[in-house]
Amino acid sequence: MPVPPTPAPAVPYVENIRAAGLGIYDPIAIGDPALWIPTPDLEALLDQALRGISLAGLPLRTRSKVAKQYVCEALGYPLPPSFRRVQPRFPGQFFDTYVQKANNLQVWNEELSPSRRYVLIRVNSADCISQVRVVTGDTLAQLDTTGTLTQKYQARCLVGEQTAELVSQQDTAALQALTRAGLDLAAVTPVSYPEAGSLLPVAELFQRLSALVGTSFPDLGADQERNRGAGLHQRVCRQLGYLHYQDDGQFPDVRQQLLEVKLQTSPTIDLGLALPSGPDLLDVPQLNGHQPRHCDVRYAVFYARTDGRLVTLTHLIVSTGEDFFTRFTKFQGKGLNKKLQIPLPAGFFRADAEDTPNLLI
């Protein structure tokens, strides 16, 4: 089941955008603390503002235009004289919008971008907006099960005799000054935004998580990889010191610690659309003026074996994204079809609707 919408954000993004006099085509630095709306907050704002609006009786193209107008109003932007045919449709906040009556998402004539946001507006059988979800391109790539997405980044690793390996002795230079050892995480949540001084050093993440090697949890079946991953994620959160497990499906898995968790029962690691070592900017607020990048993310890769009943964690490798490919081998090549058809899983939207075409707006 999808995570309920995040409560309305505390930062007055809409008021700030109005006060700045910005239009949807005016650039905003990713992570700008006053003007860039992070993905969970963007979803909460749009879901609250658009839910219940009727698009009944509108031709598809008119419906598209009207939906974009509602999005502008919800975020504090003035309506432009006309909507330009640019990619993405809302360049300032770096997102595209789709109206969905079906669970078959189609992306035409462009590749998925790992950091671009995709605003998916669910319309029910009465042509009323019933929910808004916002996800990144990297999340959409993980949802593809049809093979339409021909290739994603992948890596391979062969484990050795050492059951716990720390590849990176230190965090990236940009992150080192923002970490602090010995933090108690009981007062925060795994999906909170990271803050300067609230990040454990990568070596301490490794120390805390190493205790999980040798432990086991129930195997829900070979076709339940996502639920297997959730089982590990729960244990990671508990081991780090959080009081509660939370996962909103955004990258990285433990946002509050800029930590991505991988569970591997085979050597091949699916990395999605963005390279761990790359400079792609993360959709989180800036940390003391630094915008976290994929290469700043810390990766905890757990290898495991299963007997069909229990998953047993056998090895752990921890690395920064920057050092990732000093230990893992990248598969060569990356290609994407120009027409991507991605079936959204059951439960992606909380409301069921009949199967009719979607439209990029």
Side-chain angles (χ1 to χ4, degrees):
M1 292 294 292
V3 175
T6 306
V11 178
Y13 298 111
V14 175
E15 291 81 358
N16 293 344
I17 289 169
R18 286 200 186 104
L22 296 176
I24 63 173
Y25 304 109
D26 293 323
I28 294 174
I30 294 178
D32 184 298
L35 298 172
W36 174 264
I37 309 175
T39 295
D41 296 340
L42 181 63
E43 179 175 294
L45 281 167
L46 292 177
D47 186 69
Q48 182 177 348
L50 272 62
R51 189 182 291 223
I53 289 174
S54 174
L55 302 177
L58 298 176
L60 291 183
R61 290 189 180 278
T62 305
R63 183 180 72 176
S64 301
K65 179 181 178 181
V66 170
K68 284 188 290 188
Q69 291 173 343
Y70 281 122
V71 169
C72 287
E73 293 171 357
L75 300 183
Y77 286 107
L79 298 182
S82 62
F83 289 101
R84 305 173 193 169
R85 300 190 67 82
V86 295
Q87 295 176 337
R89 296 292 195 255
F90 285 71
Q93 295 287 343
F94 205 57
F95 67 79
D96 277 319
T97 47
Y98 292 76
V99 173
Q100 293 288 140
K101 261 195 171 182
N103 282 343
N104 180 38
L105 174 65
Q106 297 181 13
V107 180
W108 288 85
N109 300 321
E110 60 176 324
E111 298 179 351
L112 288 176
S113 167
S115 54
R116 184 179 302 183
R117 283 93 71 79
Y118 295 80
V119 174
L120 309 181
I121 302 170
R122 183 62 151 181
V123 178
N124 62 20
S125 58
D127 287 323
C128 290
I129 296 173
S130 58
Q131 190 185 0
V132 178
R133 292 290 312 276
V134 183
V135 295
T136 62
D138 200 51
T139 298
L140 286 182
Q142 296 174 37
L143 295 178
D144 177 70
T145 58
T146 65
T148 307
L149 200 61
T150 55
Q151 287 189 24
K152 309 164 193 173
Y153 285 119
Q154 292 181 314
R156 184 180 180 87
C157 176
L158 296 177
V159 297
E161 294 183 3
Q162 190 175 355
T163 58
E165 297 180 49
L166 178 60
V167 176
S168 305
Q169 299 300 316
Q170 292 183 313
D171 286 285
T172 59
L175 220 62
Q176 287 178 27
L178 306 174
T179 63
R180 187 156 60 93
L183 290 169
D184 182 354
L185 303 182
V188 292
T189 72
V191 298
S192 302
Y193 294 126
E195 296 180 355
S198 71
L199 296 169
L200 293 167
V202 64
E204 187 167 346
L205 288 175
F206 170 75
Q207 181 183 24
R208 294 192 186 192
L209 295 180
S210 296
L212 291 175
V213 176
T215 64
S216 302
F217 56 90
D219 188 343
L220 300 178
D223 60 345
Q224 297 291 319
E225 288 188 19
R226 292 186 185 279
N227 289 329
R228 277 180 181 170
L232 173 61
H233 194 175
Q234 287 180 304
R235 285 154 180 81
V236 165
C237 289
R238 184 166 59 242
Q239 193 64 32
L240 290 178
Y242 295 106
L243 290 183
H244 304 287
Y245 160 69
Q246 283 183 273
D247 177 14
D248 61 5
Q250 302 292 330
F251 177 89
D253 294 314
V254 185
R255 185 189 299 118
Q256 196 268 335
Q257 286 297 314
L258 293 179
L259 175 67
E260 176 73 355
V261 180
K262 296 285 188 184
L263 175 61
Q264 297 298 131
T265 54
S266 71
T268 301
I269 305 170
D270 287 325
L271 299 173
L273 298 178
L275 286 172
S277 57
D280 301 88
L281 301 179
L282 295 182
D283 178 21
V284 297
Q286 295 174 356
L287 304 178
N288 280 4
H290 171 66
Q291 186 58 44
R293 306 154 296 170
H294 275 259
C295 60
D296 295 318
V297 171
R298 289 80 72 82
Y299 286 78
V301 182
F302 286 90
Y303 283 84
R305 66 172 183 270
T306 178
D307 59 6
R309 186 177 59 87
L310 289 176
V311 176
T312 301
L313 303 176
T314 61
H315 295 78
L316 168 65
I317 302 175
V318 172
S319 172
T320 63
E322 185 175 67
D323 295 336
F324 192 86
F325 292 113
T326 66
R327 179 62 177 87
F328 301 88
T329 303
K330 183 177 71 171
F331 287 3
Q332 297 302 311
K334 173 177 177 275
L336 295 169
N337 288 336
K338 286 299 183 182
K339 178 185 176 182
L340 305 178
Q341 298 193 68
I342 302 173
L344 303 176
F348 184 84
F349 293 105
R350 286 188 294 278
D352 292 328
E354 67 271 14
D355 187 19
T356 55
N358 66 287
L359 179 69
L360 173 63
I361 63 176

